[in-house]
Amino acid sequence: FGEPPELDRFDEMGLPSRPQLEEAAALSVISESGVRVPFGNLFEGQKTIVCFIRHFWCPLCQDYMFSISRNVSPEVLASAGIKLVIISNGSYEMIKSYRRIFRTPFALYTDPTHKVYNSLGMTLQTLEKGPKASYIRHGMVSGIGMVVKNAVKVGMPVWKPGGDIAQLGGEFILGPGLSCSWAHRMRYTRSHVSILQVIEEAGVD
């Protein structure tokens, strides 16, 4: 019977084309302070790992964020001339408290319109879990409990939009300039590629 129509057109690992990169680079993402920044500015000057997560309330992506905090050294990346940034799709007003959960030094931006996601081929929307990835540490009930506990601990503004619960993300190695050396787009809600594999693909030992 084959794949559903949307999966027929979906390319999990394909590199974005030059026109796709040009389109994405011209679109805006929003910083923690509410400033709109051209997406292309994030990787214009150096090789940059860009991790697109799902919504701010996603326990699966919180597990992924914790895996980044545990496994990625900002100093090691800096010595390799590589930057890492994270993109979500909720309100920028949630960024500050969200970063505090993981004590992450990495910059986080939002794309609430999903335009950058879509321009880079992250067009799938689903709530299907798929196979369990290595970074997953919580089941449904314990994951929801973790999210609530974290929100209370850091005082997340729960009245602000957390993002589209069906939007999937991915990981890209972009720059310098309009170049992409590696790409992965999620098929399921827990199918991020291990951050250790991503930084290895970026050339970090």
Side-chain angles (χ1 to χ4, degrees):
F1 294 95
E3 297 276 20
E6 64 272 17
L7 285 179
D8 284 342
R9 298 187 297 270
F10 179 74
D11 189 346
E12 185 174 356
M13 303 295 295
L15 298 182
S17 66
R18 177 80 180 198
Q20 282 180 293
L21 289 171
E22 289 175 348
E23 178 185 354
L27 294 168
S28 293
V29 291
I30 307 175
S31 73
E32 181 175 327
S33 60
V35 175
R36 292 184 176 274
V37 179
F39 178 62
N41 285 13
L42 304 186
F43 54 90
E44 183 177 27
Q46 69 183 113
K47 183 185 289 188
T48 302
I49 297 168
V50 184
C51 296
F52 289 83
I53 60 173
R54 299 177 62 241
H55 57 96
F56 284 123
W57 301 118
C58 175
L60 307 173
C61 284
Q62 290 202 12
D63 276 347
Y64 192 64
M65 288 293 299
F66 277 120
S67 77
I68 292 174
S69 296
R70 286 193 306 270
N71 294 301
V72 182
S73 163
E75 293 77 20
V76 170
L77 287 187
S79 67
I82 296 171
K83 185 168 65 172
L84 188 152
V85 300
I86 297 148
I87 311 284
S88 185
N89 64 89
S91 168
Y92 77 88
E93 293 171 278
M94 301 190 79
I95 293 176
K96 184 176 182 179
S97 54
Y98 190 79
R99 290 180 67 218
R100 281 206 303 266
I101 293 172
F102 316 102
R103 299 178 181 177
T104 181
F106 302 115
L108 202 154
Y109 299 82
T110 65
D111 172 29
T113 65
H114 307 167
K115 287 182 179 179
V116 177
Y117 284 77
N118 291 338
S119 67
L120 292 176
M122 290 170 283
T123 54
L124 282 189
Q125 293 202 344
T126 183
L127 297 178
E128 290 291 324
K129 292 188 297 184
K132 183 178 179 180
S134 61
Y135 62 86
I136 298 296
R137 294 197 166 191
H138 294 84
M140 181 180 294
V141 175
S142 64
I144 292 171
M146 171 189 67
V147 168
V148 171
K149 180 180 177 181
N150 288 339
V152 171
K153 182 171 66 175
V154 300
M156 287 188 77
V158 297
W159 56 92
K160 297 296 181 181
D164 187 336
I165 65 170
Q167 177 65 53
L168 301 184
E171 305 80 39
F172 293 77
I173 301 172
L174 300 167
L178 291 176
S179 63
C180 179
S181 57
W182 186 85
H184 167 259
R185 301 164 187 86
M186 298 172 72
R187 282 184 176 269
Y188 305 104
T189 60
R190 54 183 186 180
S191 63
H192 279 292
V193 166
S194 161
I195 193 61
L196 290 175
Q197 180 182 339
V198 178
I199 62 175
E200 182 179 341
E201 295 287 351
V204 179
D205 295 330

